[in-house]
Amino acid sequence: MRLAVFVSGNGSNLQCIIDAIDNKLLNDISIGLVIADRECFAIERAKKSNIKYLMINRKSIDFTTIDSELIKEKISHIVLAGFLSILDKSFCEAWKNKIINLHPSLLPKYGGKGMYGIKVHQAVIDHKEKESGATIHYVIAGVDEGEILLQEKCNVDENETASSLQNKIHVIEKEILIESLKILYAKA
Ligand code: GRF
């Protein structure tokens, strides 16, 4: 399985995949390409690990070019790891069941357009939820709507803040990310 990882931010989930490959927690899986839609620290992580990367312009994403880059790099699966741009419908259809996304809530709750980063956790706190978590799902054209592959829950404690919840979920999302890649590999 040869992955492309799409990023927009810190890239801690990209790093988690890199580390799992290096530590042989993931076998026969490699990262062939990192695609970033903006300047971000994730690119530094790709450079440090000698992974080829591509910067795209998020204001005018050319999915035909992305598609041909993916084919050129023999990519079999795509991981959206904190990628903030929305994928085009025909691109999602062409890569059906081959793209997964990581979302920091228990979807279908607190997903959809505009629900990213700290906003997700703030909404969970504002609604006085007792639990939250992370979800890995297949990507379809509707934002955060594809079939769920794995979910992991955590408690929302009494004095929880959006930021403490975010830190908690940053830990659990990495566990299910690696597990999801094993599931995808088994299905490939
Ligand atoms: C993660 O919280 C993930 O759930 C969300 O975006 C964040 C990305 O973090 N989709 P990082 O860039 O991988 O550190």
Side-chain angles (χ1 to χ4, degrees), residues 9-14 81-82 102-104 170 173:
N10 177 26
S12 64
N13 288 286
L14 166 66
L102 173 59
H103 187 79
H170 268 150
E173 67 188 9

Side-chain angles (χ1 to χ4, degrees), residues 20 29 50 63 68 82 105 120-121 123 131 137 149 160 166-167 180:
I29 296 180
N50 292 316
F63 286 97
S68 44
S105 77
V120 178
H121 308 295
E131 58 182 20
H137 65 94
L149 204 57
E160 200 84 73
Q166 185 175 45
N167 291 338
S180 298

Side-chain angles (χ1 to χ4, degrees), residues 7-15 42 45 80-84 101-105 116-117 121 134-135 166 169-170 173-174:
V7 294
S8 302
N10 177 26
S12 64
N13 288 286
L14 166 66
Q15 190 66 51
R45 298 183 191 266
L80 306 185
F83 187 64
L84 294 176
N101 181 45
L102 173 59
H103 187 79
S105 77
Y116 61 87
H121 308 295
T135 304
Q166 185 175 45
I169 292 176
H170 268 150
E173 67 188 9
K174 293 179 175 57

Side-chain angles (χ1 to χ4, degrees), residues 56-182:
I56 57 169
N57 179 357
R58 69 179 190 268
K59 295 200 175 91
S60 59
I61 300 184
D62 176 0
F63 286 97
T64 312
T65 304
I66 294 180
D67 204 48
S68 44
E69 286 294 327
L70 296 173
I71 291 164
K72 196 169 92 191
E73 295 302 326
K74 298 187 168 48
I75 299 302
S76 63
H77 293 78
I78 299 168
V79 180
L80 306 185
F83 187 64
L84 294 176
S85 294
I86 293 171
L87 300 181
D88 166 271
K89 188 168 183 253
S90 56
F91 184 84
C92 292
E93 280 162 8
W95 288 86
K96 189 164 184 256
N97 293 331
K98 305 287 182 201
I99 317 177
I100 58 169
N101 181 45
L102 173 59
H103 187 79
S105 77
L106 296 175
L107 289 175
K109 285 184 154 186
Y110 307 105
K113 221 172 168 189
M115 267 296 176
Y116 61 87
I118 198 76
K119 292 184 194 178
V120 178
H121 308 295
Q122 192 58 57
V124 169
I125 300 287
D126 291 347
H127 285 85
K128 305 196 183 332
E129 297 284 359
K130 294 273 177 282
E131 58 182 20
S132 190
T135 304
I136 306 282
H137 65 94
Y138 286 110
V139 173
I140 59 169
V143 179
D144 296 329
E145 283 178 11
E147 185 194 335
I148 291 172
L149 204 57
L150 280 179
Q151 264 183 337
E152 179 78 27
K153 291 179 181 173
C154 66
N155 289 330
V156 177
D157 296 325
E158 240 169 66
N159 296 319
E160 200 84 73
T161 62
S163 149
S164 68
L165 184 58
Q166 185 175 45
N167 291 338
K168 236 186 219 179
I169 292 176
H170 268 150
V171 176
I172 64 173
E173 67 188 9
K174 293 179 175 57
E175 292 162 13
I176 56 170
L177 174 59
I178 299 307
E179 283 315 303
S180 298
L181 289 172
K182 289 181 185 169

